[in-house]
Amino acid sequence: MQSVFESVARYFSVLGEPTRLRILHALCQEEKCVNGLIRETGLAQANASRHLGLMYQAGLLSRRREGTQVFYRVADPLYIELCRTVSTQMLARADAELSLPGQGAVAAPRPFPANEKEPTSV
C-alpha cells in the first residue's frame, strides 16, 4: 500500500499548483497547441512549457507533434472529473459563506481555513 500512497501523493502534488489547474481547465474540452494554451491562459512561453512538461511526465497529459507544433490533451477523463468535482465543492462553499444569515451581502473573510484552529490568546 505504501507505493500506492506515494503515487497518489505525487498525483495530488501535480494538481496542487493553480497554474496547472488553469492549464487543465483550458484542455477540458479539446486538445490545444502550446500557443493556443498560452493565449488562453496568459502564461509566458517558458512558464507554460515547464508546467506542460511536468504534467506530461506525471501522466496527466498526453501530447502529439504536428509539424512544428505540439498539441496537448488530458490523458484520462478522470482527471477532468476530479478537478471539476473539487472546484464545484469549493465554489459551493464560497457561495454558502457569502449567504450566511447575518453576514449581509458579502461575508467577512475568514482568517483561517475551516480545518485549522484559531490561535488562542493569553
Side-chain angles (χ1 to χ4, degrees), residues 14-67:
V14 172
L15 293 177
E17 164 62 44
T19 301
R20 292 184 208 126
L21 293 175
R22 285 175 41 205
I23 291 170
L24 191 61
H25 177 76
L27 292 171
C28 279
Q29 300 302 319
E30 63 185 356
E31 75 175 9
K32 293 186 171 83
C33 67
V34 174
N35 289 333
L37 285 167
I38 289 169
R39 277 192 304 276
E40 189 167 332
T41 61
L43 297 171
Q45 170 82 40
N47 195 19
S49 294
R50 183 175 63 85
H51 286 293
L52 288 166
L54 193 143
M55 293 170 77
Y56 173 76
Q57 289 174 348
L60 268 70
L61 302 179
S62 56
R63 66 184 178 198
R64 68 179 178 86
R65 184 174 296 278
E66 191 173 293

Side-chain angles (χ1 to χ4, degrees), residues 11-12 15 20-30 32 74 76-93:
Y11 170 77
F12 280 114
L15 293 177
R20 292 184 208 126
L21 293 175
R22 285 175 41 205
I23 291 170
L24 191 61
H25 177 76
L27 292 171
C28 279
Q29 300 302 319
E30 63 185 356
K32 293 186 171 83
V74 178
D76 186 335
L78 173 66
Y79 301 135
I80 296 170
E81 201 53 44
L82 176 65
C83 288
R84 187 172 288 145
T85 300
V86 173
S87 296
T88 301
Q89 282 295 317
M90 294 293 107
L91 184 59
R93 282 185 186 180

